[in-house]
Every structure is written in C-alpha cells, then in structure tokens.
Amino acid sequence: MERGYMLLLVVLIIAIGRGEGQLVENFYSSSCPNVEGIVRQAVSTKFRQTFTTIPATLRLFFHDCFVTGCDASTMVSSPNGDAEKDAPDNLSLAGDGFDTVVKAKQAVEAACPKVVSCADILALAARDVVVLAGGPSFNVELGRRDGMVSQASLVKGNLPEPDFNLSQLNAMFARNNLNQIDMIALSGAHTLGFSHCNRFAKRLYSFSSSSPVDPSLDAEYAQQLMNACPRNVDPSIAIDMDPVTSRTFDNVYFQNLVSGKGLFTSDEVLFSDPASQPTVNDFAKNSGNFNGAFATAMRKLGRVGVKTGSQGRIRTDCTVINS
Ligand code: HEM
Ligand SMILES: *[C@@H]1O[C@H](CO)[C@@H](O)[C@H](O)[C@H]1NC(C)=O
Ligand SMILES: CC(=O)N[C@H]1CO[C@H](CO)[C@@H](O)[C@@H]1O
C-alpha cells in the first residue's frame, strides 16, 4: 500500500477507535482550502473599521464555549428575545464580535457554500484577533458543528462572575476541562477591552463593613477608578481593563495584578491567593511563558463541548438556528 494511504488509514483507525468526534487542524483542506485566509481577511477588514473587533470577538468565543460548548449558539438571535445573547450578560457582549463572525461567514459562504460551521469561523476569528493585537499565533483545530439550541436560561451559572474567588474560578474552568494554569492564562485576555463600572463598583464603595474600598486594590488605582466611575454613574460608561496597555495583547495584565491593579476580584485574586501567585509572577516576568500557556489554553477552550460528525448542523446564517 502507498505510504500516504497507510498513514490515512492509521489516522482513521485511531479516530474511530477513540469513539468520539475529534477536531483536526486540516478539516477543510479539500472542502474549503482557503477558509483560514478568507476569515483572516474578513477579520482584518473589520478591525480596520473598529478596534472593538478584537476584544469583542475574543470574549464572544469564550462565552460561546462555556455555554453549551463551542457551537456558535451565542450567535443566534431569537424573535422572542430568549436566546443566549439575550441573557443579562448580553449587554456587555459588544455587537462588533457578532458582526465579525457574520462578515467572515458571508465571505466563506461565497467561496464554499454550506461547508464551514459558524463555530469554526468564530474559533478562527478569535485566534486572528489575538494575533492582530500582538499576541501569539497558534493553529486552530476545526470540525465543529453548529448547535441547535440557544437559550438565555442556559447562560446562568455557566459563566464566571467578576467577584469569584480562586476556588470558584477553578471549579467552573475544571468543568470545562481547563486547569488552573489554563484559567490564569485565559484570564490574560483581560489585557484587552472594557468593563462597565457596575461590574467592579462594589470594590470601590461597599467592599465590607470595615473597609469600603477593597484593600487589595492599589490606592492610586482605586482613586483613578472612582474618578472614572463615580457612584450612580451612567451604566453605559466602560473603562479599559488594562489601564497600562489596553490595546495590546501582552503580559502587562499580570504585571498589573502584581501591583494591585487587577480590575475585578477574579483578576486580583489570581495574585493575592498564594495557590495561584507563582503562576502570575511567572507570566508577569516571562511573556513567552504566558504566550505559550495562552495558546495551549485557547486550543483546549476550543474543544469544550464540541459537536462533530452528524451532530448539530452547518448554519448558512450564523444568527438563525435552522438556516
Ligand atoms: C476568569 C473569569 C472571567 C471573568 C469573571 C470575566 C468577567 C468579565 C467581565 C465582567 C467583563 C466586563 C464586561 C463588561 O462590563 O462589558 C469582561 C470582559 C472581557 N472578557 Fe472576561 N471574564 C473572565 C474570563 C475571560 C476569558 C477566559 C476571556 C477570553 C479568553 C475573557 C475575555 C474578555 C474580554 C476580551 C473582555 C472585554 C470585552 C470588550 O471590551 O468588549 N474573559 N470579562
Ligand atoms: C470562595 O467562595 C465560596 C462561595 O462563596 C466559599 O464557599 C469559599 O469558602 C470561598 N473560598 C475561599 C478560599 O475564600
Ligand atoms: C442588546 C440586547 O440584546 N439587550 C438585551 C439584554 O437582555 C435584557 C434582559 O436580560 C434585555 O432587556 C435587553 O434588551
């Protein structure tokens, strides 16, 4: 038998033997060979229109994967207003992330109709925005199918809250096969993007009966936050999560944690809890270690709850479940 076929056969046997759908990097090599370039092009066009493309797309991928798996269920719009994106956390999912995937899907459909899932396009776009912001590149595994369910009620309890402590964070990430190092690396996504004031106001004004301001916050940073987010501030006001290099994907997020400038409790606790502090110190000092851990964790995140083979479907319109 020819060598190539032999190899293919071995790969097939291994895949079948595992008995579960596996993602592979070259899933579309014959059905849509240019898919990566097409998505990259659409993402960079969108990025030239607005920087928000970057944080919005990255966060959309995270939310999609943590709620019923990486199946683009978060992309769906419901006429009744009860899809995943309609859950209270929606307010903060910036429209530009959805638009990025819609645009990329249109470009992909023009070249290879009904072949590439919205879930895979979102996974590729999430990698591409990290690269555009100066972060590490990595290969994206493909072969996800799009989910058939998108319900607001499924969001609650599946996304971490900004007041979580280390054990709560670890528990929620562990449910998604992500360990503490993955969790810390992925939290580094907060090197980009915005948060609305209400997500951390408690740390400034009503932390505890003995101390209204969270003592783990650097005093100067706390004052800066109070200036940007006075009590009863307009709820649409949002501030940079990385006060130093908000538009660059870098390890400054971890340096901020070391100096008491983590915006959420869930950020700062990564440094203040001795169980995670060594990893934060490592990532703060060594951007290569952070980049490597982030790339590894993003690939693991992309495997969460995926539908493969005959499960789910390939949507033609990412926002319509049965399209
Ligand atoms: C570790 C637990 C996490 C918590 C508690 C958390 C919580 C939050 C909150 C509350 C916001 C602000 C939303 C707003 O007010 O607009 C936010 C923003 C953001 N999060 Fe997370 N997050 C976590 C992990 C992640 C992960 C794993 C990623 C991606 C890999 C991510 C990516 C982002 C991005 C990029 C933004 C900025 C969004 C924008 O500017 O549009 N987060 N996160
Ligand atoms: C974290 O929070 C949970 C829930 O509030 C609590 O039961 C647990 O004791 C906390 N753990 C630490 C280390 O503070
Ligand atoms: C932009 C958007 O879809 N907002 C909705 C978010 O969810 C609340 C209810 O939780 C709706 O009232 C908003 O219309």
Side-chain angles (χ1 to χ4, degrees):
M1 205 185 293
E2 216 183 291
R3 263 214 177 146
Y5 277 119
M6 191 73 154
L7 195 66
L8 193 68
L9 200 66
V10 170
V11 169
L12 268 176
I13 289 168
I14 292 172
I16 293 164
R18 284 194 183 171
E20 58 183 76
Q22 297 282 318
L23 303 178
V24 289
E25 284 172 16
N26 59 355
F27 188 80
Y28 299 107
S29 58
S30 55
S31 58
C32 193
N34 295 330
V35 62
E36 300 219 11
I38 297 169
V39 172
R40 192 179 310 116
Q41 175 87 52
V43 172
S44 46
T45 300
K46 174 75 189 164
F47 163 66
R48 283 195 296 274
Q49 290 155 5
T50 169
F51 181 83
T52 315
T53 301
I54 291 180
T57 304
L58 185 54
R59 185 161 191 241
L60 185 60
F61 177 61
F62 170 51
H63 283 210
D64 184 40
C65 294
F66 264 42
V67 181
T68 70
C70 313
D71 63 354
S73 50
T74 307
M75 291 292 303
V76 171
S77 305
S78 155
N80 311 323
D82 58 0
E84 262 177 53
K85 66 182 285 197
D86 300 309
D89 241 1
N90 69 345
L91 256 182
S92 52
L93 281 173
D96 290 310
F98 296 91
D99 193 43
T100 301
V101 178
V102 167
K103 295 269 166 60
K105 174 68 169 174
Q106 283 165 356
V108 170
E109 284 296 296
C112 336
K114 298 194 174 78
V115 168
V116 183
S117 66
C118 299
D120 279 346
I121 291 176
L122 177 53
L124 288 170
R127 183 268 316 270
D128 293 343
V129 295
V130 168
V131 174
L132 281 172
S137 191
F138 50 91
N139 294 338
V140 176
E141 297 170 324
L142 300 168
R144 297 169 190 79
R145 309 260 300 171
D146 296 326
M148 302 296 288
V149 177
S150 175
Q151 270 167 22
S153 58
L154 298 174
V155 175
K156 205 172 162 53
N158 286 317
L159 289 171
E161 295 291 337
D163 63 355
F164 270 14
N165 63 32
L166 185 68
S167 47
Q168 292 171 303
L169 289 168
N170 276 333
M172 186 167 282
F173 279 71
R175 288 212 311 256
N176 294 293
N177 295 322
L178 296 160
N179 62 31
Q180 181 174 290
I181 293 184
D182 300 324
M183 183 275 289
I184 297 169
L186 288 171
S187 296
H190 289 174
T191 180
L192 297 165
F194 301 104
S195 169
H196 295 84
C197 296
N198 67 338
R199 307 310 299 263
F200 54 85
K202 192 169 183 273
R203 299 186 73 200
L204 305 177
Y205 300 113
S206 49
F207 183 69
S208 71
S209 49
S210 54
S211 159
V213 184
D214 184 338
S216 70
L217 269 176
D218 170 75
E220 206 176 302
Y221 183 52
Q223 190 54 56
Q224 200 181 313
L225 292 175
M226 286 191 258
N227 295 345
C229 296
R231 277 175 202 270
N232 305 319
V233 70
D234 174 348
S236 68
I237 300 283
I239 64 145
D240 289 335
M241 291 197 291
D242 174 351
V244 184
T245 56
S246 64
R247 290 185 166 217
T248 314
F249 188 100
D250 56 21
N251 66 338
V252 172
Y253 166 82
F254 296 100
Q255 296 166 7
N256 292 338
L257 300 185
V258 173
S259 50
K261 294 177 184 168
L263 185 58
F264 302 139
T265 299
S266 62
D267 296 313
E268 196 56 54
V269 75
L270 303 177
F271 178 73
S272 51
D273 194 311
S276 45
Q277 190 178 84
T279 307
V280 170
N281 282 328
D282 176 39
F283 290 169
K285 285 194 199 108
N286 189 325
S287 63
N289 289 357
F290 164 51
N291 284 344
F294 185 80
T296 299
M298 282 289 279
R299 283 165 59 96
K300 285 173 77 172
L301 176 60
R303 293 175 199 141
V304 173
V306 293
K307 284 120 193 116
T308 56
S310 58
Q311 298 168 313
R313 60 186 283 123
I314 306 291
R315 273 179 235 146
T316 48
D317 178 342
C318 296
T319 67
V320 178
I321 208 136
N322 273 316
S323 61

